Amino acid sequence: MNDSPGWAPPGSSPSDEPDHGAQQQGEPADQPAPEQRAWGEQWARRQPPPRRWAATGDRTPPPVPPAPAPGGGWGTGRRQPPAPRPGVIPLRPLGVSEILDGAVAIMRGHWRTVLGISLIVSIVTQGLITAATGLWFNDGRGNENNVLDDPDATVGQALRAVGDTLGDSGVTLLLGVLGTIVTTALLTVVAARAVLGRNVSAGEAWAGARPHLLQLCGLLLLIPAIAAAVIAAGMTPGLLLAVAGVPSEGAALASLGGLAAACVAAWLWVRFSLAAPALMLEKQGIIKALRRSFKLVRGSWGRVFGIQLLAVVLVFIVGAIVEIPTSLVAMVIGGDNAMDWLSGESVSVGWTFLIVVGVGGVISSTITFPISAGVTALLYMDQRIRREALDLELARAAGMPGVSTEGHGEDQPTVGSTSWN
């Protein structure tokens, strides 16, 4: 009798006697007949593969581990290759830290061009501001404040004092805005080349930005004008109510209207914040650049606002670190009048004090201009990468091999819409 399990097919008739016919032909006594052996092999082939069963009686087969992916990782998905990086940023959607690091990398990797441009523009603008302050706004500053503080001053005197004060601040602000315009135009061209890993000289940046300086000037003056018009429109009902003879209610309504309008103006400012790089890199007009910025920021207002606010805070901190030592030196040179002047008091100061303060402003602007311009340019490129697959266009412009369109962007790439060379 054969006690070996599993070799005989089910349903075969057991026999306790040996197979004499098989013994006579020289076959072993414990082997089945040929027809039984063939039937058993067919039955065995139909059975499932052997599994390792749990000792607790659970007959559920254990899970089969996934096979390793061809790229070396485990899982059913395909591991994505790293994004190409021909320049200062990887060609993929960027994080906040990558945008800030990219702006610093532009200044560090192309420091001759970037700092040269910023230094020249800062010297010109800060020199004009220092000259205007020393020649026109230094001596007459106290008279304006005295008139505004005098309760017996006439309406004409008050209006002239307000006009003089606004003229002082307006000229300084205008010169600063013009310096920002020129620096933004030039450094946007440098940032576009730095993303592709290409060098650009100051002369090449000037040649690329010069045809669009007037348009950029109009754009950056139009955006504050729109914001001011919105705030004025929000305050107008309260001012009209105050003029009509209800001053307290009118003042309250004007304050509420101005606050609401300021929120709307801030919203519009962020929506238009990418218009400058759109104008420079896409060679569009002012209105089209505003529309492009409005479209690119749509759905990402909070992210764009947060990055821009973070850049402003960073610029303020860097500027303060640079200007505090020069201000201390200026206060030592200027004495008590310098401290009063810096705090807004109506005093006159000397040229030495103004020059020292101007030197601090030059150093501060030279460092902060590239940061703000670089963040705006990279934020514009990041939004286009997320929406229009600009990374594909950049990769082709940089000559990167193996560019694929799989899984990129919300819209189709706009190849040829931007001049990167």
Side-chain angles (χ1 to χ4, degrees):
M1 179 177 180
N2 192 349
D3 294 330
S4 301
W7 69 270
S12 59
S13 58
S15 177
D16 294 333
E17 296 181 0
D19 190 349
H20 299 286
Q23 293 177 0
Q24 292 177 359
Q25 296 179 4
E27 295 179 1
D30 57 349
Q31 295 294 327
E35 60 274 7
Q36 291 179 345
R37 201 161 51 240
W39 201 94
E41 292 173 357
Q42 294 177 5
W43 177 81
R45 284 195 297 267
R46 297 191 188 102
Q47 304 310 306
R51 297 289 181 93
R52 182 174 297 175
W53 308 105
T56 58
D58 184 10
R59 308 185 71 85
T60 303
V64 180
W74 289 88
T76 57
R78 182 177 58 185
R79 190 174 67 176
Q80 297 294 331
R85 183 168 183 163
V88 295
I89 60 170
L91 301 184
R92 57 169 172 76
L94 303 175
V96 177
S97 61
E98 290 175 324
I99 293 176
L100 297 177
D101 291 342
V104 177
I106 293 173
M107 183 171 59
R108 185 175 60 248
H110 306 268
W111 63 271
R112 289 185 179 88
T113 301
V114 171
L115 295 182
I117 292 172
S118 298
L119 180 61
I120 294 173
V121 176
S122 299
I123 289 175
V124 174
T125 55
Q126 194 64 43
L128 293 176
I129 291 173
T130 301
T133 303
L135 293 176
W136 294 295
F137 309 124
N138 190 14
D139 295 333
R141 200 170 159 188
N143 297 330
E144 299 156 9
N145 292 334
N146 292 334
V147 170
L148 293 176
D149 293 336
D150 187 4
D152 298 330
T154 63
V155 176
Q157 292 175 339
L159 291 177
R160 283 193 298 271
V162 170
D164 293 337
T165 303
L166 293 179
D168 185 355
S169 303
V171 170
T172 303
L173 180 62
L174 179 61
L175 292 174
V177 168
L178 290 177
T180 303
I181 291 170
V182 176
T183 309
T184 301
L186 297 175
L187 295 184
T188 299
V189 177
V190 176
R193 300 288 184 89
V195 169
L196 301 179
R198 299 173 183 173
N199 294 322
V200 56
S201 64
E204 292 172 342
W206 171 253
R210 182 177 55 189
H212 309 283
L213 282 179
L214 291 178
Q215 290 179 322
L216 187 63
C217 181
L219 174 66
L220 295 185
L221 292 178
L222 179 62
I223 294 176
I226 294 174
V230 170
I231 295 175
M235 298 180 63
T236 298
L239 295 177
L240 293 177
L241 187 62
V243 172
V246 191
S248 58
E249 289 81 357
L253 182 60
S255 301
L256 292 177
L259 180 61
C263 294
V264 175
W267 181 81
L268 288 175
W269 193 291
V270 175
R271 292 298 295 263
F272 293 145
S273 62
L274 303 183
L279 186 147
M280 291 301 304
L281 297 179
E282 299 183 26
K283 315 301 182 185
Q284 299 193 18
I286 296 177
I287 302 302
K288 289 184 178 180
L290 291 174
R291 291 176 180 173
R292 282 289 289 153
S293 177
F294 205 86
K295 178 182 178 181
L296 291 174
V297 180
R298 184 179 58 198
S300 304
W301 189 93
R303 181 174 183 273
V304 174
F305 171 74
I307 295 175
Q308 295 279 27
L309 181 61
L310 187 60
V312 170
V313 173
L314 179 62
V315 166
F316 176 79
I317 293 174
V318 173
I321 293 174
V322 173
E323 292 185 10
I324 286 176
T326 56
S327 298
L328 293 176
V329 173
M331 285 190 293
V332 171
I333 295 174
D336 295 336
N337 286 347
M339 297 181 63
D340 295 337
W341 191 89
L342 290 174
S343 63
E345 296 292 334
S346 56
V347 294
S348 299
V349 291
W351 280 101
T352 304
F353 169 81
L354 293 177
I355 291 173
V356 173
V357 172
V359 169
V362 169
I363 299 174
S364 174
S365 300
T366 301
I367 298 175
T368 57
F369 274 160
I371 296 176
S372 58
V375 168
T376 303
L378 293 180
L379 186 56
Y380 158 81
M381 296 179 194
D382 176 63
Q383 288 300 112
R384 284 198 60 186
I385 287 174
R386 294 173 181 270
R387 294 182 174 273
E388 301 173 355
L390 180 66
D391 50 342
L392 304 179
E393 183 179 346
L394 291 172
R396 282 190 287 268
M400 303 296 293
V403 179
S404 173
T405 60
E406 181 180 355
H408 284 75
E410 299 175 0
D411 305 324
Q412 295 297 323
T414 54
V415 179
S417 63
T418 308
S419 175
W420 305 105
N421 298 316

PDB file of all heavy atoms in Angstrom, residues 92-122:
ATOM      1  N   ARG A  92      10.003  73.720 -13.652  1.00  0.00           N
ATOM      2  CA  ARG A  92       8.782  73.101 -13.132  1.00  0.00           C
ATOM      3  C   ARG A  92       8.119  74.128 -12.221  1.00  0.00           C
ATOM      4  O   ARG A  92       8.702  75.183 -11.939  1.00  0.00           O
ATOM      5  CB  ARG A  92       9.107  71.820 -12.368  1.00  0.00           C
ATOM      6  CG  ARG A  92      10.086  72.028 -11.232  1.00  0.00           C
ATOM      7  CD  ARG A  92      10.174  70.814 -10.351  1.00  0.00           C
ATOM      8  NE  ARG A  92      11.236  70.930  -9.360  1.00  0.00           N
ATOM      9  CZ  ARG A  92      11.189  71.665  -8.260  1.00  0.00           C
ATOM     10  NH1 ARG A  92      10.100  72.394  -8.013  1.00  0.00           N
ATOM     11  NH2 ARG A  92      12.190  71.708  -7.417  1.00  0.00           N
ATOM     12  N   PRO A  93       6.887  73.858 -11.759  1.00  0.00           N
ATOM     13  CA  PRO A  93       6.272  74.785 -10.804  1.00  0.00           C
ATOM     14  C   PRO A  93       7.144  74.966  -9.566  1.00  0.00           C
ATOM     15  O   PRO A  93       7.672  74.009  -9.008  1.00  0.00           O
ATOM     16  CB  PRO A  93       4.939  74.101 -10.466  1.00  0.00           C
ATOM     17  CG  PRO A  93       4.620  73.296 -11.675  1.00  0.00           C
ATOM     18  CD  PRO A  93       5.936  72.822 -12.211  1.00  0.00           C
ATOM     19  N   LEU A  94       7.296  76.212  -9.146  1.00  0.00           N
ATOM     20  CA  LEU A  94       8.245  76.565  -8.095  1.00  0.00           C
ATOM     21  C   LEU A  94       7.546  76.746  -6.755  1.00  0.00           C
ATOM     22  O   LEU A  94       6.374  77.140  -6.694  1.00  0.00           O
ATOM     23  CB  LEU A  94       8.978  77.861  -8.457  1.00  0.00           C
ATOM     24  CG  LEU A  94       9.732  77.877  -9.786  1.00  0.00           C
ATOM     25  CD1 LEU A  94      10.288  79.271 -10.047  1.00  0.00           C
ATOM     26  CD2 LEU A  94      10.839  76.848  -9.789  1.00  0.00           C
ATOM     27  N   GLY A  95       8.280  76.465  -5.695  1.00  0.00           N
ATOM     28  CA  GLY A  95       7.829  76.787  -4.359  1.00  0.00           C
ATOM     29  C   GLY A  95       8.230  78.197  -3.966  1.00  0.00           C
ATOM     30  O   GLY A  95       8.979  78.873  -4.678  1.00  0.00           O
ATOM     31  N   VAL A  96       7.745  78.632  -2.814  1.00  0.00           N
ATOM     32  CA  VAL A  96       8.040  79.991  -2.361  1.00  0.00           C
ATOM     33  C   VAL A  96       9.538  80.165  -2.129  1.00  0.00           C
ATOM     34  O   VAL A  96      10.149  81.151  -2.556  1.00  0.00           O
ATOM     35  CB  VAL A  96       7.249  80.305  -1.071  1.00  0.00           C
ATOM     36  CG1 VAL A  96       7.594  81.686  -0.558  1.00  0.00           C
ATOM     37  CG2 VAL A  96       5.750  80.193  -1.329  1.00  0.00           C
ATOM     38  N   SER A  97      10.144  79.202  -1.456  1.00  0.00           N
ATOM     39  CA  SER A  97      11.574  79.312  -1.175  1.00  0.00           C
ATOM     40  C   SER A  97      12.397  79.285  -2.453  1.00  0.00           C
ATOM     41  O   SER A  97      13.440  79.955  -2.543  1.00  0.00           O
ATOM     42  CB  SER A  97      12.011  78.180  -0.246  1.00  0.00           C
ATOM     43  OG  SER A  97      11.783  76.915  -0.847  1.00  0.00           O
ATOM     44  N   GLU A  98      11.935  78.535  -3.466  1.00  0.00           N
ATOM     45  CA  GLU A  98      12.679  78.479  -4.729  1.00  0.00           C
ATOM     46  C   GLU A  98      12.617  79.807  -5.474  1.00  0.00           C
ATOM     47  O   GLU A  98      13.580  80.195  -6.147  1.00  0.00           O
ATOM     48  CB  GLU A  98      12.134  77.355  -5.599  1.00  0.00           C
ATOM     49  CG  GLU A  98      12.449  75.966  -5.060  1.00  0.00           C
ATOM     50  CD  GLU A  98      11.787  74.874  -5.869  1.00  0.00           C
ATOM     51  OE1 GLU A  98      10.658  75.075  -6.334  1.00  0.00           O
ATOM     52  OE2 GLU A  98      12.390  73.797  -6.033  1.00  0.00           O
ATOM     53  N   ILE A  99      11.506  80.516  -5.363  1.00  0.00           N
ATOM     54  CA  ILE A  99      11.410  81.831  -5.996  1.00  0.00           C
ATOM     55  C   ILE A  99      12.349  82.821  -5.322  1.00  0.00           C
ATOM     56  O   ILE A  99      13.092  83.563  -5.985  1.00  0.00           O
ATOM     57  CB  ILE A  99       9.955  82.326  -5.966  1.00  0.00           C
ATOM     58  CG1 ILE A  99       9.073  81.454  -6.868  1.00  0.00           C
ATOM     59  CG2 ILE A  99       9.864  83.786  -6.400  1.00  0.00           C
ATOM     60  CD1 ILE A  99       7.607  81.817  -6.834  1.00  0.00           C
ATOM     61  N   LEU A 100      12.347  82.833  -3.989  1.00  0.00           N
ATOM     62  CA  LEU A 100      13.246  83.737  -3.269  1.00  0.00           C
ATOM     63  C   LEU A 100      14.710  83.358  -3.492  1.00  0.00           C
ATOM     64  O   LEU A 100      15.564  84.229  -3.712  1.00  0.00           O
ATOM     65  CB  LEU A 100      12.912  83.710  -1.780  1.00  0.00           C
ATOM     66  CG  LEU A 100      11.508  84.199  -1.392  1.00  0.00           C
ATOM     67  CD1 LEU A 100      11.291  84.039   0.109  1.00  0.00           C
ATOM     68  CD2 LEU A 100      11.295  85.638  -1.803  1.00  0.00           C
ATOM     69  N   ASP A 101      15.002  82.058  -3.457  1.00  0.00           N
ATOM     70  CA  ASP A 101      16.377  81.620  -3.713  1.00  0.00           C
ATOM     71  C   ASP A 101      16.799  81.941  -5.141  1.00  0.00           C
ATOM     72  O   ASP A 101      17.962  82.281  -5.393  1.00  0.00           O
ATOM     73  CB  ASP A 101      16.507  80.118  -3.457  1.00  0.00           C
ATOM     74  CG  ASP A 101      16.371  79.764  -1.985  1.00  0.00           C
ATOM     75  OD1 ASP A 101      16.513  80.679  -1.152  1.00  0.00           O
ATOM     76  OD2 ASP A 101      16.117  78.586  -1.674  1.00  0.00           O
ATOM     77  N   GLY A 102      15.856  81.825  -6.075  1.00  0.00           N
ATOM     78  CA  GLY A 102      16.179  82.140  -7.460  1.00  0.00           C
ATOM     79  C   GLY A 102      16.514  83.604  -7.649  1.00  0.00           C
ATOM     80  O   GLY A 102      17.430  83.951  -8.410  1.00  0.00           O
ATOM     81  N   ALA A 103      15.780  84.489  -6.954  1.00  0.00           N
ATOM     82  CA  ALA A 103      16.085  85.921  -7.052  1.00  0.00           C
ATOM     83  C   ALA A 103      17.482  86.222  -6.508  1.00  0.00           C
ATOM     84  O   ALA A 103      18.238  87.007  -7.094  1.00  0.00           O
ATOM     85  CB  ALA A 103      15.032  86.733  -6.292  1.00  0.00           C
ATOM     86  N   VAL A 104      17.830  85.586  -5.397  1.00  0.00           N
ATOM     87  CA  VAL A 104      19.178  85.775  -4.847  1.00  0.00           C
ATOM     88  C   VAL A 104      20.226  85.147  -5.758  1.00  0.00           C
ATOM     89  O   VAL A 104      21.324  85.686  -5.936  1.00  0.00           O
ATOM     90  CB  VAL A 104      19.251  85.193  -3.430  1.00  0.00           C
ATOM     91  CG1 VAL A 104      20.659  85.304  -2.856  1.00  0.00           C
ATOM     92  CG2 VAL A 104      18.265  85.913  -2.507  1.00  0.00           C
ATOM     93  N   ALA A 105      19.890  83.987  -6.365  1.00  0.00           N
ATOM     94  CA  ALA A 105      20.843  83.322  -7.262  1.00  0.00           C
ATOM     95  C   ALA A 105      21.114  84.164  -8.509  1.00  0.00           C
ATOM     96  O   ALA A 105      22.232  84.152  -9.038  1.00  0.00           O
ATOM     97  CB  ALA A 105      20.307  81.943  -7.654  1.00  0.00           C
ATOM     98  N   ILE A 106      20.109  84.875  -8.993  1.00  0.00           N
ATOM     99  CA  ILE A 106      20.336  85.769 -10.133  1.00  0.00           C
ATOM    100  C   ILE A 106      21.345  86.845  -9.770  1.00  0.00           C
ATOM    101  O   ILE A 106      22.273  87.142 -10.534  1.00  0.00           O
ATOM    102  CB  ILE A 106      18.999  86.398 -10.581  1.00  0.00           C
ATOM    103  CG1 ILE A 106      18.067  85.331 -11.164  1.00  0.00           C
ATOM    104  CG2 ILE A 106      19.237  87.496 -11.621  1.00  0.00           C
ATOM    105  CD1 ILE A 106      16.681  85.842 -11.467  1.00  0.00           C
ATOM    106  N   MET A 107      21.180  87.432  -8.587  1.00  0.00           N
ATOM    107  CA  MET A 107      22.108  88.479  -8.154  1.00  0.00           C
ATOM    108  C   MET A 107      23.501  87.910  -7.889  1.00  0.00           C
ATOM    109  O   MET A 107      24.509  88.561  -8.191  1.00  0.00           O
ATOM    110  CB  MET A 107      21.566  89.165  -6.896  1.00  0.00           C
ATOM    111  CG  MET A 107      22.409  90.321  -6.393  1.00  0.00           C
ATOM    112  SD  MET A 107      21.585  91.256  -5.081  1.00  0.00           S
ATOM    113  CE  MET A 107      21.344  89.982  -3.849  1.00  0.00           C
ATOM    114  N   ARG A 108      23.563  86.683  -7.364  1.00  0.00           N
ATOM    115  CA  ARG A 108      24.864  86.102  -7.049  1.00  0.00           C
ATOM    116  C   ARG A 108      25.570  85.588  -8.313  1.00  0.00           C
ATOM    117  O   ARG A 108      26.787  85.752  -8.461  1.00  0.00           O
ATOM    118  CB  ARG A 108      24.676  84.947  -6.060  1.00  0.00           C
ATOM    119  CG  ARG A 108      25.983  84.350  -5.577  1.00  0.00           C
ATOM    120  CD  ARG A 108      25.749  83.297  -4.514  1.00  0.00           C
ATOM    121  NE  ARG A 108      24.937  82.201  -4.991  1.00  0.00           N
ATOM    122  CZ  ARG A 108      23.707  81.938  -4.583  1.00  0.00           C
ATOM    123  NH1 ARG A 108      23.139  82.706  -3.681  1.00  0.00           N
ATOM    124  NH2 ARG A 108      23.023  80.922  -5.067  1.00  0.00           N
ATOM    125  N   GLY A 109      24.838  84.975  -9.217  1.00  0.00           N
ATOM    126  CA  GLY A 109      25.458  84.412 -10.403  1.00  0.00           C
ATOM    127  C   GLY A 109      25.783  85.424 -11.481  1.00  0.00           C
ATOM    128  O   GLY A 109      26.665  85.184 -12.309  1.00  0.00           O
ATOM    129  N   HIS A 110      25.063  86.555 -11.502  1.00  0.00           N
ATOM    130  CA  HIS A 110      25.292  87.590 -12.515  1.00  0.00           C
ATOM    131  C   HIS A 110      25.532  88.926 -11.808  1.00  0.00           C
ATOM    132  O   HIS A 110      24.951  89.947 -12.175  1.00  0.00           O
ATOM    133  CB  HIS A 110      24.086  87.682 -13.456  1.00  0.00           C
ATOM    134  CG  HIS A 110      23.708  86.374 -14.088  1.00  0.00           C
ATOM    135  ND1 HIS A 110      24.192  85.966 -15.305  1.00  0.00           N
ATOM    136  CD2 HIS A 110      22.904  85.377 -13.652  1.00  0.00           C
ATOM    137  CE1 HIS A 110      23.699  84.782 -15.614  1.00  0.00           C
ATOM    138  NE2 HIS A 110      22.914  84.398 -14.626  1.00  0.00           N
ATOM    139  N   TRP A 111      26.385  88.892 -10.797  1.00  0.00           N
ATOM    140  CA  TRP A 111      26.516  90.051  -9.917  1.00  0.00           C
ATOM    141  C   TRP A 111      27.108  91.257 -10.635  1.00  0.00           C
ATOM    142  O   TRP A 111      26.751  92.396 -10.305  1.00  0.00           O
ATOM    143  CB  TRP A 111      27.357  89.681  -8.698  1.00  0.00           C
ATOM    144  CG  TRP A 111      28.776  89.291  -9.007  1.00  0.00           C
ATOM    145  CD1 TRP A 111      29.230  88.047  -9.300  1.00  0.00           C
ATOM    146  CD2 TRP A 111      29.904  90.159  -9.044  1.00  0.00           C
ATOM    147  NE1 TRP A 111      30.589  88.070  -9.529  1.00  0.00           N
ATOM    148  CE2 TRP A 111      31.031  89.363  -9.371  1.00  0.00           C
ATOM    149  CE3 TRP A 111      30.094  91.530  -8.843  1.00  0.00           C
ATOM    150  CZ2 TRP A 111      32.309  89.892  -9.497  1.00  0.00           C
ATOM    151  CZ3 TRP A 111      31.370  92.054  -8.965  1.00  0.00           C
ATOM    152  CH2 TRP A 111      32.451  91.244  -9.285  1.00  0.00           C
ATOM    153  N   ARG A 112      27.981  91.028 -11.594  1.00  0.00           N
ATOM    154  CA  ARG A 112      28.547  92.187 -12.288  1.00  0.00           C
ATOM    155  C   ARG A 112      27.463  92.982 -13.006  1.00  0.00           C
ATOM    156  O   ARG A 112      27.389  94.219 -12.889  1.00  0.00           O
ATOM    157  CB  ARG A 112      29.612  91.724 -13.275  1.00  0.00           C
ATOM    158  CG  ARG A 112      30.894  91.213 -12.647  1.00  0.00           C
ATOM    159  CD  ARG A 112      31.932  90.887 -13.708  1.00  0.00           C
ATOM    160  NE  ARG A 112      33.185  90.403 -13.126  1.00  0.00           N
ATOM    161  CZ  ARG A 112      33.429  89.129 -12.852  1.00  0.00           C
ATOM    162  NH1 ARG A 112      32.499  88.218 -13.112  1.00  0.00           N
ATOM    163  NH2 ARG A 112      34.577  88.766 -12.321  1.00  0.00           N
ATOM    164  N   THR A 113      26.635  92.288 -13.751  1.00  0.00           N
ATOM    165  CA  THR A 113      25.576  92.981 -14.498  1.00  0.00           C
ATOM    166  C   THR A 113      24.507  93.519 -13.566  1.00  0.00           C
ATOM    167  O   THR A 113      24.093  94.686 -13.665  1.00  0.00           O
ATOM    168  CB  THR A 113      24.955  92.021 -15.522  1.00  0.00           C
ATOM    169  OG1 THR A 113      25.974  91.554 -16.407  1.00  0.00           O
ATOM    170  CG2 THR A 113      23.864  92.712 -16.316  1.00  0.00           C
ATOM    171  N   VAL A 114      24.044  92.680 -12.648  1.00  0.00           N
ATOM    172  CA  VAL A 114      22.921  93.062 -11.783  1.00  0.00           C
ATOM    173  C   VAL A 114      23.310  94.220 -10.866  1.00  0.00           C
ATOM    174  O   VAL A 114      22.613  95.255 -10.808  1.00  0.00           O
ATOM    175  CB  VAL A 114      22.456  91.840 -10.966  1.00  0.00           C
ATOM    176  CG1 VAL A 114      21.447  92.263  -9.902  1.00  0.00           C
ATOM    177  CG2 VAL A 114      21.845  90.787 -11.872  1.00  0.00           C
ATOM    178  N   LEU A 115      24.398  94.066 -10.133  1.00  0.00           N
ATOM    179  CA  LEU A 115      24.794  95.133  -9.214  1.00  0.00           C
ATOM    180  C   LEU A 115      25.277  96.367  -9.956  1.00  0.00           C
ATOM    181  O   LEU A 115      25.109  97.487  -9.463  1.00  0.00           O
ATOM    182  CB  LEU A 115      25.887  94.621  -8.274  1.00  0.00           C
ATOM    183  CG  LEU A 115      25.466  93.493  -7.319  1.00  0.00           C
ATOM    184  CD1 LEU A 115      26.609  93.111  -6.402  1.00  0.00           C
ATOM    185  CD2 LEU A 115      24.237  93.896  -6.512  1.00  0.00           C
ATOM    186  N   GLY A 116      25.856  96.183 -11.146  1.00  0.00           N
ATOM    187  CA  GLY A 116      26.239  97.350 -11.939  1.00  0.00           C
ATOM    188  C   GLY A 116      25.039  98.182 -12.353  1.00  0.00           C
ATOM    189  O   GLY A 116      25.035  99.420 -12.226  1.00  0.00           O
ATOM    190  N   ILE A 117      23.985  97.498 -12.833  1.00  0.00           N
ATOM    191  CA  ILE A 117      22.760  98.214 -13.211  1.00  0.00           C
ATOM    192  C   ILE A 117      22.132  98.892 -11.998  1.00  0.00           C
ATOM    193  O   ILE A 117      21.767 100.078 -12.030  1.00  0.00           O
ATOM    194  CB  ILE A 117      21.775  97.241 -13.870  1.00  0.00           C
ATOM    195  CG1 ILE A 117      22.299  96.777 -15.226  1.00  0.00           C
ATOM    196  CG2 ILE A 117      20.400  97.881 -14.022  1.00  0.00           C
ATOM    197  CD1 ILE A 117      21.472  95.669 -15.856  1.00  0.00           C
ATOM    198  N   SER A 118      21.995  98.142 -10.906  1.00  0.00           N
ATOM    199  CA  SER A 118      21.363  98.709  -9.705  1.00  0.00           C
ATOM    200  C   SER A 118      22.167  99.872  -9.144  1.00  0.00           C
ATOM    201  O   SER A 118      21.592 100.875  -8.693  1.00  0.00           O
ATOM    202  CB  SER A 118      21.204  97.617  -8.642  1.00  0.00           C
ATOM    203  OG  SER A 118      20.372  96.587  -9.104  1.00  0.00           O
ATOM    204  N   LEU A 119      23.488  99.753  -9.170  1.00  0.00           N
ATOM    205  CA  LEU A 119      24.317 100.821  -8.625  1.00  0.00           C
ATOM    206  C   LEU A 119      24.189 102.096  -9.441  1.00  0.00           C
ATOM    207  O   LEU A 119      24.028 103.197  -8.883  1.00  0.00           O
ATOM    208  CB  LEU A 119      25.776 100.365  -8.575  1.00  0.00           C
ATOM    209  CG  LEU A 119      26.785 101.376  -8.023  1.00  0.00           C
ATOM    210  CD1 LEU A 119      26.445 101.745  -6.587  1.00  0.00           C
ATOM    211  CD2 LEU A 119      28.206 100.834  -8.134  1.00  0.00           C
ATOM    212  N   ILE A 120      24.230 101.990 -10.763  1.00  0.00           N
ATOM    213  CA  ILE A 120      24.117 103.183 -11.613  1.00  0.00           C
ATOM    214  C   ILE A 120      22.763 103.859 -11.421  1.00  0.00           C
ATOM    215  O   ILE A 120      22.672 105.080 -11.217  1.00  0.00           O
ATOM    216  CB  ILE A 120      24.339 102.805 -13.079  1.00  0.00           C
ATOM    217  CG1 ILE A 120      25.788 102.342 -13.296  1.00  0.00           C
ATOM    218  CG2 ILE A 120      24.024 103.981 -13.990  1.00  0.00           C
ATOM    219  CD1 ILE A 120      26.044 101.793 -14.680  1.00  0.00           C
ATOM    220  N   VAL A 121      21.692 103.060 -11.452  1.00  0.00           N
ATOM    221  CA  VAL A 121      20.348 103.641 -11.286  1.00  0.00           C
ATOM    222  C   VAL A 121      20.194 104.238  -9.886  1.00  0.00           C
ATOM    223  O   VAL A 121      19.607 105.318  -9.720  1.00  0.00           O
ATOM    224  CB  VAL A 121      19.274 102.572 -11.564  1.00  0.00           C
ATOM    225  CG1 VAL A 121      17.887 103.135 -11.289  1.00  0.00           C
ATOM    226  CG2 VAL A 121      19.371 102.082 -12.997  1.00  0.00           C
ATOM    227  N   SER A 122      20.715 103.574  -8.879  1.00  0.00           N
ATOM    228  CA  SER A 122      20.586 104.078  -7.503  1.00  0.00           C
ATOM    229  C   SER A 122      21.352 105.377  -7.313  1.00  0.00           C
ATOM    230  O   SER A 122      20.857 106.299  -6.641  1.00  0.00           O
ATOM    231  CB  SER A 122      21.089 103.020  -6.517  1.00  0.00           C
ATOM    232  OG  SER A 122      20.341 101.837  -6.607  1.00  0.00           O
TER     233      SER A 122
END
